[in-house]
Amino acid sequence: MSYRGETTPIKPEVEQVPRRGLFDEIRARMRLKHYSLRTEAVYLGWIRRYIRANGRRHPRDMGSVEVEAFLSRLATEGGASASTQNQALSALLFLYREVLGIKLPWMENVVRAKRTRRLPTVLARGEVAMLLRQLSGREWLMASLLYGGGLRLMECLRLRIKDVDVVRGEITVREGKGAKDRKTVLPAALREPVKRQINATLVLHEADLAQGYGEVSLPAALARKYPNAARQPGWQYVFPATRRGIDPRDGREKRHHLDEKVLQRAVSGAARCAGILKPVGPHTLRHCFATHLLEMGADIRTIQELLGHKDVSTTQIYTHVLDRGASGVVSPLDRI
């Protein structure tokens, strides 16, 4: 049974990569540094591609020429975006610095591709209402939390029961982007639905315990520090997966959080049913949260804290999509 949730691990390709011991060392180093399974799979994938692209030579036998050529081919032949190219570079930096222990000054001078700064897609309030009306049950609740609390997709899926305070109307986001904790609002309209979801999760957890399971994955070294925490109700995911799976870190059968594709497909389908022609995904609802708060007169610093942005300049992008922006200007054509 696969372990769904953070990622689907890359299948080992023993016959296609040299010296399998190298990849075991890479995986061990990433787990020592508490990298997520998603990052682990992505980095391993890029390192495999890099080695195959250079005739399966060992990375120690390669240098700046091979790295620069590999990154250039991604852009020129593969049509890779700047973010994809930078992701590949980060994987190779990890390989040489952390695994091989090779200090290569030229790696510091490799130019990272400049990302295109694009304006976010934002829906009007009426469009958000139409979108949410096309959803129901668990998917409706998750989408409502993204819009009502400004959560990222994975932040919503990784919510633990202990981090949802229904009485105070607060959600604590643990280790969000940049490994930072923050608090955001739990809308009053969602308190009762969240209570019902938590109760359903606890019933499922009791059934798992009765069958001899009931464990959940814990961050970092908490599993060793608190051996019984993995079975405690508060550590269970608010939105658990429908099936248990094998945790690739320790080989134990656990219940992970719901797969992100469930909500991605639900939101995309709801947008089509609602007749919304804009490109819409779960992250669009986070953009709507920020923009609609600005339209309501909320302070931009408050919105920055709720979103978890490191710099207010990131939050200021939403000022460019307000009604009083381009759409709030009267064109001279309309005055003729």
Side-chain angles (χ1 to χ4, degrees):
M1 184 183 297
S2 63
Y3 190 71
R4 304 299 298 275
E6 291 192 28
T7 186
T8 301
I10 295 177
K11 296 180 180 178
E13 302 176 35
V14 179
E15 73 285 357
Q16 296 182 10
V17 294
R19 301 171 184 148
R20 181 164 169 75
L22 171 65
F23 293 97
D24 291 335
E25 176 63 24
I26 295 170
R27 188 177 289 107
R29 182 67 60 173
M30 284 192 281
R31 293 183 182 179
L32 181 65
K33 290 182 170 292
H34 309 305
Y35 280 41
S36 70
L37 293 178
R38 179 188 297 271
T39 303
E40 179 181 313
V42 169
Y43 276 25
L44 285 172
W46 281 119
I47 293 169
R48 282 189 174 95
R49 287 183 62 176
Y50 171 63
I51 291 174
R52 285 199 293 264
N54 289 281
R56 302 193 180 100
R57 295 159 58 197
H58 196 285
R60 283 197 185 92
D61 303 327
M62 296 184 277
S64 60
V65 175
E66 288 81 5
V67 171
E68 291 173 2
F70 177 71
L71 296 175
S72 297
R73 283 197 299 271
L74 286 178
T76 57
E77 299 176 13
S81 65
S83 59
T84 299
Q85 194 179 26
N86 287 332
Q87 187 184 75
L89 174 57
S90 296
L92 297 181
L93 283 170
F94 180 86
L95 170 66
Y96 280 101
R97 287 177 181 169
E98 305 295 338
V99 181
L100 301 178
I102 300 175
K103 294 183 179 180
L104 301 173
W106 55 266
M107 287 290 278
E108 303 291 343
N109 299 322
V110 173
V111 179
R112 289 181 177 268
K114 186 176 181 181
R115 298 183 64 176
T116 304
R117 191 170 178 83
R118 301 187 184 279
L119 292 177
T121 298
V122 176
L123 305 179
R125 289 188 184 88
E127 290 176 315
V128 173
M130 289 191 300
L131 177 71
L132 293 178
R133 278 199 293 268
Q134 301 299 322
L135 298 169
S136 61
R138 178 185 59 189
E139 288 76 14
W140 170 85
L141 179 55
M142 289 189 291
S144 297
L145 284 171
L146 298 188
Y147 175 61
L151 298 176
R152 297 179 177 92
L153 171 59
M154 295 308 299
E155 291 173 348
C156 177
L157 295 175
R158 290 172 179 160
L159 275 180
R160 312 267 184 168
I161 292 176
K162 68 181 184 63
D163 295 325
V164 180
D165 192 332
V166 177
V167 176
R168 290 176 59 88
E170 286 182 348
I171 294 174
T172 302
V173 178
R174 304 289 183 185
E175 295 191 9
K177 191 172 182 179
K180 296 182 296 182
D181 293 356
R182 74 177 192 278
K183 289 187 181 294
T184 188
V185 61
L186 172 62
L190 298 182
R191 294 186 187 185
E192 286 304 318
V194 165
K195 279 184 183 178
R196 291 194 294 270
Q197 175 62 35
I198 289 176
N199 289 337
T201 298
L202 293 176
V203 170
L204 182 62
H205 178 55
E206 288 294 331
D208 283 343
L209 289 173
Q211 296 176 34
Y213 299 102
E215 288 189 0
V216 69
S217 59
L218 296 179
L222 280 176
R224 293 191 299 272
K225 189 174 182 180
Y226 304 108
N228 298 321
R231 292 176 176 269
Q232 292 177 357
W235 281 99
Q236 305 306 306
Y237 291 111
V238 175
F239 300 103
T242 54
R243 295 185 300 169
R244 295 187 299 269
I246 302 300
D247 187 337
R249 289 192 174 99
D250 58 18
R252 298 173 67 86
E253 187 169 333
K254 303 177 182 178
R255 190 174 293 277
H256 202 52
H257 60 66
L258 197 66
D259 192 283
E260 64 266 30
K261 293 183 180 64
V262 173
L263 186 57
Q264 288 170 341
R265 291 166 180 162
V267 171
S268 297
R272 289 194 298 271
C273 292
I276 299 173
L277 302 182
K278 302 173 186 176
V280 177
H283 204 71
T284 306
L285 296 170
R286 175 175 158 89
H287 294 322
C288 296
F289 166 81
T291 306
H292 295 170
L293 277 182
L294 278 173
E295 290 174 350
M296 294 162 59
D299 178 72
I300 194 167
R301 292 284 183 181
T302 302
I303 299 173
Q304 177 193 356
E305 292 296 323
L306 293 174
L307 292 175
H309 287 161
K310 182 178 180 180
D311 195 292
V312 73
S313 62
T314 307
T315 316
Q316 285 175 339
I317 193 171
Y318 296 108
T319 62
H320 297 293
V321 290
L322 290 174
D323 286 341
R324 58 177 177 270
S327 58
V329 175
V330 178
S331 170
L333 180 65
D334 294 328
R335 294 189 180 277
I336 296 177

